[in-house]
Amino acid sequence: MKTFNILISGVGGQGVLLTSKVIAEAALLSGLDVKQSEVHGMAQRGGSVLSQVRFGEKVFSPIVSEGEANLLIGFEPLETARYLHFLKDDGVVIYNTRPIGTIGVSIAAEKYPADINETIKARAKTVMPFDGTQLAVTAGDKRTLNLVLLGAALKFLPLKESAVLDAIKNTVPKKVLEINQRAFAAGRAQGK
Amino acid sequence: MKKAILSGNEAIARGFIEAGGKLAAAYPGTPSTEVLETLSCEEGIHAEWSVNEKVALEVAIGGALSGVRSLACMKHVGVNVAADPLMTASYTGVNAGLVLFAADDPGMFSSQNEQDTRHFARLGKMPCIEPSDSAEAKEYIKAAFDLSESFDTPVILRTTTRISHCKSVVEVGIAEPRAGRGLARDFGKYVMLPNNAKKRHVFVEDRLLRLKEWAETSPLNQVIDGDTSLGFITSGISFQYVREAFPKAAVLKLGMTFPLPEKLIRKFASSVTKLAVVEELDPFLEEQIKAMGITIHLGKNVLPLAGEFSQRLVQEKISGSALKVNEPVSGLLVRPPTFCPGCSHRGLYTVLSKLKLYVSGDIGCYTLGALPPFSAMHTCICMGASISAAHGTAKGLALQGTQQKPVAVIGDSTFLHSGITGLINMIYNNGDAIVIIMNNDTTGMTGGQEHAGTGRSAKGTEAPRLDIAKLCQAIGVTRVREIDAYNIKDLEKTMKEELAAPGPSVLISNQPCVLRYRVSKKAYVVEKETCKGCKLCLKAGCIALSFTPEGKTGFVEIDPLLCNGCGVCSQLCTSGAMKNS
């Protein structure tokens, strides 16, 4: 298969890394070559974070270039908009509509863009916006947003559902597995 | 063999285990931290957080001399701290293998500079090895230990952020049993008195020549046959970008980037029509290859010296033509990092900002106090510089007739790393500054590692807990006070008292890192009808707060999913609109 490129963006602390970890594991279980790139350190303190996953027959670079992404999974609207130019012409966007203000917004020095949803819609052919945070809270913990979004993204991933489900079992700590499986199911129902 | 997805750092740890490594010492630093973290879970290996990188390397030197394969891990700027033992360890050589793992940070995701560690290999005349993915990282550390023992030299294993923090498929092997070599005693080799060192320097020069010869046929350096109209010499992550951008081109991939295999390079260069050298940061390979008298057509004449590369950048710069671009969405708000909701640093900086004090800063989460809305840090140089620089600033101001007490802000782990010496220096030299030690009981920015003040070892077992207040008293600080960084009123009062008092003082905040210790308090709510829309609370600079300009005055809201209930904003509220009962 041709290399499939995924970008996962959000705000430091939202749990972006787990989504990419599960996808990478699912690709490995599917017998594919996979590379995953992530950011640690200072950006994790509430900054803009980006994780990248690429899988296929043979993958060289671990990072996705502009115009190469098949799928963009956004944990927050502004952080989704920030990486839209990485999408292919037929790239898909799945994102959580619940905004998190920047520090500038919080001190009323700047305004969160009111038209952010329209901006995203205008830049991609297939866009799936929904309140993933609400689904995560309903599943039992706001931190399961990563599995909600993964569930919603499932039908756009060229991976078997069984591989993704096994990857979740291999990756998510036992203590919180059930709640994460619930969140994944809620996301998948949203994506259907 | 089992396949796993490992980061470069996890793969290095795995390779260390498979190589029969026994002792690892490190100081946390992005992007190097996870090697020691992974090893700390491993039985039969002594893995420790040392107080700084110099100490970590010296511990590893001691381990190697005792007869076990030993590893020191650090980020690129840590090598500066460890440079002193490193340069002389090159002279003494090793007994069992000694490897220094250093992770560079092109693009500066979490660093104060972008220096290129490969220069240290050249300075110390020791080998530098660079893997290009996780599978190689695992194999290369094994090769590094073999090389260390066969050539009697420390070896630098150098990665960059995209090697250390990218994950790729690794075949996990088995650990080879390796008996210890036993303690080495050799006066001429290990005691670097001038007369011994003179002889060892001659050995080092000869070793370098032998290493060069070895590099010519080393499996670490590989030629990938391909189109010879444009050939590439590259290493590390740049190799992956070259392969992606020019999949058909002939490539000489250097796994060992110091010393270089001159004959191999010469042969490759003569086999291609045009030669490109692709490397991030400094023209380290390029300058050495040019010094061989070889023409490089494309190198730093087209590639940048700063920042990290990508396949796209390599393709554009080497081909000299721009690829089609999708413009980024214009005018988007930037999202700089900021203190976590509930972080104790927020209260401190609210006060430092209000009092408009001059703050000498340091390396850690608290460096974010330099950003708006606080803008309350005025220098940040390196680990431990806050106290010594504050002392120098106070002396310099006094020489200009200005009596002003600077404030130094430093974290607990950084204080233990290299702030102690600055404090001793300040007290000894009759200095006058306020030192604030933000003790949150962890090494925060790197994700929460233990240190000598947490009472736990790297393995999580109980350890002696250093008492920072007592240490400061022992150093000779007479004014040592504990502060509550969440209590703004008290903090402001204390600061004013210390500013007025003659002589230096140390203020210590003892509040746990909310991230590391998962502190979660009940969220505050704003009574809309009571809120006057004065925005005073927004000075807390917390992303849980937002202002809605509706109605007569507008009002503030608190996001219940983000608020951590620290109450700093509520202390700034003069109308009593913020409640959490």
Side-chain angles (χ1 to χ4, degrees), chain A residues 24 35-37 42 45 54 61 63 66 76 79 82 85 87 98 100-101 103 106 123 142-143, chain B residues 5 110 162 166-167 241 244 311-312 326-327 333 335 337-338 444 518 538 541-543 545 559 561:
Chain A
K35 284 192 176 165
Q36 177 202 340
S37 189
M42 190 171 262
R45 301 290 167 270
R54 310 184 74 207
S61 170
I63 61 177
E66 293 93 327
E76 196 278 342
E79 296 318 312
R82 199 179 306 285
H85 60 295
L87 277 181
R98 192 180 168 100
I100 296 177
I103 189 69
S106 296
R123 287 288 293 258
K142 66 174 176 177
R143 284 174 296 183
Chain B
I5 298 177
S110 198
R162 295 294 183 187
C166 285
K167 299 190 173 182
Y241 300 148
E244 187 102 18
Q311 56 267 39
R312 186 190 176 95
N326 296 329
E327 286 301 317
L333 302 183
R335 190 186 296 276
T338 182
R518 295 176 183 264
L538 301 185
C542 178
I543 55 164
L545 300 172
D559 186 330
L561 291 180

Side-chain angles (χ1 to χ4, degrees), chain A residues 10-11 21 24-25 28 32-48 52 54 58-68 76 78-79 81-82 84-87 89 98-103 105-108 110-113 116 119 123 133 137 142-143, chain B residues 3-5 30 34 109-110 132-133 161-162 165-169 237 239-241 243-244 308-312 324 326-329 332-340 364-365 367-368 372-373 444-447 515 518 535 538 541-547 549 559-562:
Chain A
V11 177
K21 199 173 171 185
E25 175 74 13
L28 177 75
L32 297 167
D33 190 20
V34 57
K35 284 192 176 165
Q36 177 202 340
S37 189
E38 52 197 47
V39 167
H40 295 232
M42 190 171 262
Q44 287 179 298
R45 301 290 167 270
S48 171
Q52 320 180 38
R54 310 184 74 207
K58 173 71 192 160
V59 181
F60 288 107
S61 170
I63 61 177
V64 178
S65 282
E66 293 93 327
E68 272 188 0
E76 196 278 342
L78 184 57
E79 296 318 312
R82 199 179 306 285
L84 285 168
H85 60 295
F86 280 81
L87 277 181
D89 292 340
R98 192 180 168 100
I100 296 177
T102 63
I103 189 69
V105 169
S106 296
I107 60 172
E110 52 193 27
K111 274 193 181 142
Y112 194 92
I116 195 78
T119 303
R123 287 288 293 258
T133 301
V137 170
K142 66 174 176 177
R143 284 174 296 183
Chain B
K3 278 187 178 178
I5 298 177
T30 311
E34 297 79 9
F109 291 92
S110 198
S132 72
D133 62 17
T161 300
R162 295 294 183 187
H165 282 168
C166 285
K167 299 190 173 182
S168 56
V169 183
I237 193 65
F239 166 74
Q240 306 291 358
Y241 300 148
R243 290 288 281 160
E244 187 102 18
E308 67 163 351
F309 291 179
S310 66
Q311 56 267 39
R312 186 190 176 95
K324 175 183 154 257
N326 296 329
E327 286 301 317
V329 176
L332 285 181
L333 302 183
V334 295
R335 190 186 296 276
T338 182
F339 296 130
C340 301
C365 286
T367 316
L368 296 171
M445 180 62 93
T446 43
L515 199 61
R518 295 176 183 264
K535 302 186 198 169
L538 301 185
C542 178
I543 55 164
L545 300 172
S546 63
F547 181 75
D559 186 330
L561 291 180
L562 293 174

Side-chain angles (χ1 to χ4, degrees), chain B residues 410-425:
Chain B
I410 187 167
D412 43 341
S413 191
T414 308
F415 177 69
L416 300 178
H417 175 284
S418 48
I420 296 172
T421 42
L423 185 60
I424 294 171
N425 181 69

Side-chain angles (χ1 to χ4, degrees), chain B residues 146-159:
Chain B
D146 289 344
L147 198 58
S148 172
E149 287 170 359
S150 39
F151 283 87
D152 193 11
T153 178
V155 174
I156 294 177
L157 181 80
R158 182 236 189 191
T159 66

Side-chain angles (χ1 to χ4, degrees), chain B residues 389-569:
Chain B
H391 166 62
T393 299
K395 290 288 180 195
L397 286 171
L399 289 167
Q400 298 167 76
T402 308
Q403 295 301 324
Q404 183 187 330
K405 259 194 191 186
V407 177
V409 174
I410 187 167
D412 43 341
S413 191
T414 308
F415 177 69
L416 300 178
H417 175 284
S418 48
I420 296 172
T421 42
L423 185 60
I424 294 171
N425 181 69
M426 184 172 84
I427 298 302
Y428 168 58
N429 287 300
N430 192 27
D432 193 4
I434 299 175
V435 175
I436 300 176
I437 301 173
M438 293 301 285
N439 177 16
N440 60 6
D441 225 9
T442 193
T443 315
M445 180 62 93
T446 43
Q449 290 75 31
E450 308 296 345
H451 59 65
T454 66
R456 281 175 306 272
S457 73
K459 287 184 183 277
T461 53
E462 206 178 318
R465 187 188 188 106
L466 183 139
D467 186 324
I468 293 177
K470 278 190 186 158
L471 177 70
C472 294
Q473 284 158 354
I475 285 171
V477 185
T478 47
R479 301 181 68 88
V480 179
R481 297 176 70 172
E482 187 173 342
I483 52 169
D484 177 356
Y486 288 112
N487 190 330
I488 292 177
K489 219 168 149 186
D490 277 6
L491 192 55
E492 190 176 334
K493 185 168 158 272
T494 307
M495 286 305 295
K496 285 179 176 164
E497 284 166 8
E498 294 309 316
L499 284 166
S505 45
V506 172
L507 309 179
I508 305 168
S509 157
N510 294 305
Q511 300 286 354
C513 168
V514 293
L515 199 61
R516 164 68 179 81
Y517 294 99
R518 295 176 183 264
V519 178
S520 180
K521 295 181 197 157
K522 193 173 169 221
Y524 277 73
V525 287
V526 178
E527 280 181 2
K528 267 188 204 172
E529 53 280 13
T530 319
C531 177
K532 292 189 290 201
C534 68
K535 302 186 198 169
L536 277 176
C537 60
L538 301 185
K539 287 188 193 297
C542 178
I543 55 164
L545 300 172
S546 63
F547 181 75
T548 307
E550 279 172 18
K552 230 184 214 171
T553 58
F555 56 88
V556 168
E557 283 178 288
I558 296 176
D559 186 330
L561 291 180
L562 293 174
C563 176
N564 202 334
C566 75
V568 167
C569 61

